[in-house]
Amino acid sequence: MAGCGFRLRGSQTFAFQRIAIQPQPGGAVAQELRRAFGPAVRVLAAQDPLTQAQLVLTVSNEQRERVVVGVNSSGQVRELQLRIRVRLQLRTAQGKDIMEGDEIAQQRDISYSESAALAKETEEALLYRDMQTDIVQQILRRLAAIQPGQLD
């Protein structure tokens, strides 16, 4: 397997020790991202000046959508598509853009039944949570790919 480039994901290492995540407190993705760094990176608190950060990550335009994609012959909803979109901007504390206007999107299909509306609502919440976690992991992988030379 070593020849194909496969390796276990393991823990990520970052080229920076301090990051500010904007806006404060931000949406659900920004809040989960703050918790995801753990001890490897210090996430600046709201009262800390941005000049202390090596990087400033702006997580904006977090949109959750619920779109009907299928109906039966009597017009009742049978299938939905759940979507989350997040726009990212990453810059240094000095204002140098590293990532500008990147967008991460996730979507999941879900069947729907009016007779099991409460159960489907719970399933929908779990799928949104799963998509949110996937987006946070994608952001962490992008941040781990930053080279020390990009921080200058």
Side-chain angles (χ1 to χ4, degrees):
M1 281 214 182
C4 71
F6 175 81
R7 67 180 174 132
L8 293 174
R9 188 174 295 154
S11 64
Q12 296 164 333
T13 57
F14 299 99
F16 53 92
Q17 290 82 36
R18 295 175 313 281
I19 189 168
I21 300 174
Q22 300 291 322
Q24 287 280 359
V29 171
Q31 291 176 8
E32 184 173 340
L33 188 58
R34 280 187 187 87
R35 291 187 298 267
F37 276 108
V41 175
R42 180 176 164 245
V43 178
L44 271 59
Q47 65 272 13
D48 293 336
L50 289 181
T51 55
Q52 289 184 357
Q54 290 173 287
L55 290 175
V56 178
L57 176 65
T58 305
V59 181
S60 62
N61 207 20
E62 184 179 327
Q63 297 176 338
R64 292 177 182 243
E65 300 171 349
R66 183 178 189 237
V67 180
V68 175
V69 292
V71 293
N72 65 12
S73 60
S74 61
Q76 294 177 323
V77 175
R78 287 291 164 219
E79 192 170 343
L80 298 168
Q81 190 172 67
L82 308 176
R83 301 176 186 157
I84 297 181
R85 296 182 193 284
V86 175
R87 185 167 294 278
L88 303 173
Q89 180 184 12
L90 183 66
R91 59 185 168 83
T92 63
Q94 295 77 27
K96 176 186 167 191
D97 284 328
I98 296 175
M99 259 193 303
E100 186 175 351
D102 282 6
E103 184 175 275
I104 298 177
Q106 287 278 317
Q107 67 184 32
R108 301 283 191 277
D109 293 327
I110 181 175
S111 63
Y112 186 78
S113 171
E114 288 184 22
S115 62
L118 188 58
K120 287 299 178 177
E121 186 177 309
T122 303
E123 182 181 1
E124 186 177 318
L126 287 171
L127 286 172
Y128 272 126
R129 176 81 173 141
D130 182 50
M131 288 187 290
Q132 175 181 309
T133 301
D134 283 351
I135 288 174
V136 167
Q137 291 303 314
Q138 285 184 36
I139 294 170
L140 289 174
R141 285 192 295 276
R142 288 181 185 197
L143 292 174
I146 293 173
Q147 301 299 317
Q150 293 177 286
L151 301 177
D152 299 331

